[in-house]
Amino acid sequence: MILTINAIPKVDPAAAATTPQIEVRGHQWWWEFRYLDTNVVTANELVIPVGQPMRIRVESDDVIHCFWVPQLARKIDAIPGWSNHIWLQADKPGTYQGRCTEYCGTQHAWMNFLVRALPPDKYTQWLAGQQVTPDEPAAGDGLLGKQLFLSATCVDCHAVRGTAAVANIGPDLTDLASREFLGSGVLKNTPANLRLWLKNPQALKPGCKMPNFNLTDLQVEHVAVWLESLR
């Protein structure tokens, strides 16, 4: 009993006594990560510094999910209307697999994420870089893609820092090109796969919240070129 009581504060931070550094939010079917002392928001890839315990607040926007990084921490539920808290620490640089372990609907199996642990100096550089507004694309496909994105219903769901797109129904796309996967693990993030996703996401992840917009091949190319510049 004494050992158990002594271990509890080492496993989970007290919600009232500890200010969280990162907020994790579960969505059907993707993960949102907010760095609370900054304006940085990412999706499906969580970056943390090596050797530092990070205080994580875990919540959900829709149904119950379960946040789990097997190599780094225990499971903890993400519950609508409730905040749970957990410590997350990586002692070695590397990439760690995370996943949702609570059945949450059609695409539960594709609600994966990565945790990237960087040396503290690299983490500081990464966090600073994430707060920089993306450059305006030069004339050409990239500019046409940005204009199409901002004039279409993409802005009803997504955010891109420094633009009029500020919604948070779908993943923040500010650093999309730097992510390893698309669709929470459905596809590797390659130029060809990005175009497949834009052409018809429902064919790749049936039931996901992004509909098929019936974009032409040329429109897909324009949007893809712009998204590939977002790092």
Side-chain angles (χ1 to χ4, degrees):
M1 176 67 74
I2 293 174
L3 289 175
T4 300
I5 293 173
N6 184 56
I8 288 173
K10 295 180 175 63
V11 175
D12 293 335
T18 309
T19 302
Q21 295 157 294
I22 299 173
E23 179 182 273
V24 171
R25 299 192 70 83
H27 302 259
Q28 289 179 309
W29 291 273
W30 59 282
W31 293 96
E32 178 182 8
F33 305 119
R34 292 183 171 270
Y35 293 75
L36 297 176
D37 291 333
T38 73
N39 65 346
V40 174
V41 182
T42 67
N44 301 322
E45 293 192 8
L46 175 62
V47 179
I48 61 174
V50 170
Q52 297 181 21
M54 302 298 287
R55 299 182 294 275
I56 310 293
R57 182 171 70 213
V58 182
E59 301 180 350
S60 170
D61 264 12
D62 37 51
V63 300
I64 296 176
H65 303 283
C66 189
F67 177 83
W68 189 32
V69 189
Q71 293 174 279
L72 302 182
R74 70 175 185 85
K75 300 177 183 180
I76 192 163
D77 283 342
I79 302 172
W82 184 263
S83 297
N84 281 328
H85 296 77
I86 194 171
W87 293 110
L88 194 66
Q89 179 174 339
D91 294 324
K92 296 180 180 179
T95 300
Y96 302 87
Q97 178 68 58
R99 61 184 71 254
C100 177
T101 59
E102 179 77 29
Y103 181 74
C104 54
T106 307
Q107 288 296 336
H108 163 69
W110 289 115
M111 191 171 167
N112 301 323
F113 63 97
L114 298 177
V115 176
R116 299 193 185 281
L118 303 178
D121 59 332
K122 298 294 185 183
Y123 172 77
T124 300
Q125 293 175 16
W126 174 85
L127 195 60
Q130 290 300 303
Q131 297 176 72
V132 175
T133 299
D135 292 334
E136 183 70 14
D141 287 347
L143 182 58
L144 292 172
K146 180 180 180 181
Q147 291 170 345
L148 176 58
F149 183 96
L150 295 177
S151 64
T153 54
C154 310
V155 296
D156 293 339
C157 293
H158 295 287
V160 177
R161 190 179 309 114
T163 75
V166 295
N168 65 350
I169 295 173
D172 188 299
L173 301 179
T174 302
D175 65 341
L176 177 68
S178 69
R179 297 175 195 165
E180 186 172 343
F181 291 98
L182 300 170
S184 298
V186 170
L187 294 169
K188 291 282 288 186
N189 189 2
T190 68
N193 285 342
L194 177 58
R195 286 156 177 79
L196 286 174
W197 179 267
L198 292 171
K199 188 67 175 177
N200 187 3
Q202 291 297 319
L204 303 169
K205 192 172 181 177
C208 73
K209 305 300 183 181
M210 182 172 171
N212 179 0
F213 290 105
N214 296 305
L215 298 176
T216 67
D217 290 344
L218 185 58
Q219 289 173 322
V220 166
E221 182 64 22
H222 290 162
V223 175
V225 169
W226 180 56
L227 292 177
E228 287 169 340
S229 73
L230 301 180
R231 295 182 177 275

